[in-house]
Amino acid sequence: MKFIAGPCVIESAELLDTVAEKIVAINRELGTDIIFKASFDKANRTSLSSFRGPGLEKGLLMLQDVKSKWGLKLLTDIHESWQAAPVGEVVDVIQIPAFLCRQTDLLVAAAKTGKIVNIKKAQFLSGVDMKYPYEKALNSGAKEIWLTERGNIYGYNNLVVDFRNIPDMLGIAPTVVMDCTHSVQRPGAAGGKTGGNREFVPSMALAAKAFGANGFFFEVHPDPDNAKSDGPNMLKLDDLESLIKKLLSC
């Protein structure tokens, strides 16, 4: 079972260290190998004035520091194909954002790095549709490809998860990850920001496990209400260990 956890965006070195220290402690306690996630640039924020992060150059230096200091594997997302090569020098998993999962050049560039490629399912696609992004990455040289469920658009400012997408995607890829925090988003529903319902995160995780998910993605923060991105749907850092324990035991 794979676990991915970390803050939505790189806010500061102090935040990265706080989250990394907790993840290392959980790994030691539970025997897990949680992959550390943080974004160097949130290029798809709702508003132009929203915080985006430190950018590629500084962000990769900060992520490399997490790897060197804490010994954690890393995951981050890219939004443009030219970012793949430098990102691939630092991280273990390159993530393709949901809105961009059909961008051929992005998938090809990620695949060519030789790193694991995690493709998030678009909010407008079915699980079966993910055959085509998967094949683009596979035929471009990717050795390991994960697919991630994160809900579908349901009217305005809302998402719904059709858990049938998980077994459908398991018919395509051996690893299917449930994005337990983005799936409880309320896109654009908080006055120029994305809202969410973090109280449903544990249920999303447990339901996904019942449908066969073998990977789980959690954005976490020590103080989600004051996070600079995605706070309403992020899991509190102190709640991460108990939820992972529950997933491991069921």
Side-chain angles (χ1 to χ4, degrees), residues 182-220:
H182 286 98
S183 60
V184 300
Q185 280 183 333
R186 299 292 302 275
K193 298 183 292 184
T194 288
N197 299 98
R198 76 170 71 97
E199 65 270 22
F200 297 131
V201 170
S203 298
M204 287 290 183
L206 293 168
K209 176 80 182 289
F211 275 83
N214 49 17
F216 299 89
F217 180 111
F218 303 102
E219 285 192 334
V220 296

Side-chain angles (χ1 to χ4, degrees), residues 4-23:
I4 303 160
C8 178
V9 65
I10 298 172
E11 297 179 16
S12 67
E14 291 75 20
L15 173 65
L16 298 187
D17 281 339
T18 297
V19 176
E21 183 177 21
K22 181 66 172 180
I23 288 175

Side-chain angles (χ1 to χ4, degrees), residues 51-250:
F51 180 78
R52 289 182 54 166
L56 178 70
E57 185 175 351
K58 185 177 179 182
L60 288 181
L61 287 173
M62 296 171 79
L63 288 172
Q64 181 61 60
D65 187 60
V66 169
K67 176 176 277 192
S68 301
K69 186 174 180 180
W70 299 102
L72 292 167
K73 294 176 183 175
L74 302 176
L75 175 150
T76 198
D77 42 356
I78 60 172
H79 292 83
E80 299 185 57
S81 55
W82 64 266
Q83 295 173 337
V87 167
E89 294 294 320
V90 175
V91 308
D92 302 276
V93 185
I94 295 178
Q95 183 166 278
I96 306 299
F99 282 129
L100 301 178
C101 76
R102 294 182 9 152
Q103 295 294 103
T104 301
D105 289 347
L106 195 63
L107 290 161
V108 170
K112 286 182 176 179
T113 66
K115 300 297 182 176
I116 298 168
V117 180
N118 183 35
I119 310 173
K120 298 184 76 172
K121 181 182 72 62
Q123 297 91 328
F124 48 84
L125 293 180
S126 71
V128 173
D129 292 328
M130 291 304 290
K131 169 186 176 182
Y132 304 104
Y134 181 89
E135 288 178 345
K136 288 179 183 180
L138 183 67
N139 294 334
S140 300
K143 299 297 187 289
E144 185 171 353
I145 305 162
W146 304 346
L147 299 178
T148 293
E149 167 62 36
R150 55 97 69 241
N152 282 82
I153 296 168
Y154 189 71
Y156 298 115
N157 307 127
N158 205 6
L159 297 173
V160 66
V161 176
D162 180 350
F163 288 97
R164 295 173 298 180
N165 285 325
I166 293 171
D168 283 345
M169 290 193 290
L170 283 168
I172 301 166
T175 299
V176 171
V177 178
M178 181 66 200
D179 185 340
C180 305
T181 45
H182 286 98
S183 60
V184 300
Q185 280 183 333
R186 299 292 302 275
K193 298 183 292 184
T194 288
N197 299 98
R198 76 170 71 97
E199 65 270 22
F200 297 131
V201 170
S203 298
M204 287 290 183
L206 293 168
K209 176 80 182 289
F211 275 83
N214 49 17
F216 299 89
F217 180 111
F218 303 102
E219 285 192 334
V220 296
H221 196 284
D223 184 13
D225 289 334
N226 289 298
K228 293 185 178 181
S229 175
D230 271 1
N233 54 265
M234 277 204 280
L235 188 69
K236 292 181 180 178
L237 182 60
D238 286 343
D239 294 337
L240 179 62
E241 183 173 357
S242 62
L243 181 50
I244 289 178
K245 274 185 182 176
K246 192 173 291 187
L247 288 165
L248 290 170
S249 65
C250 68

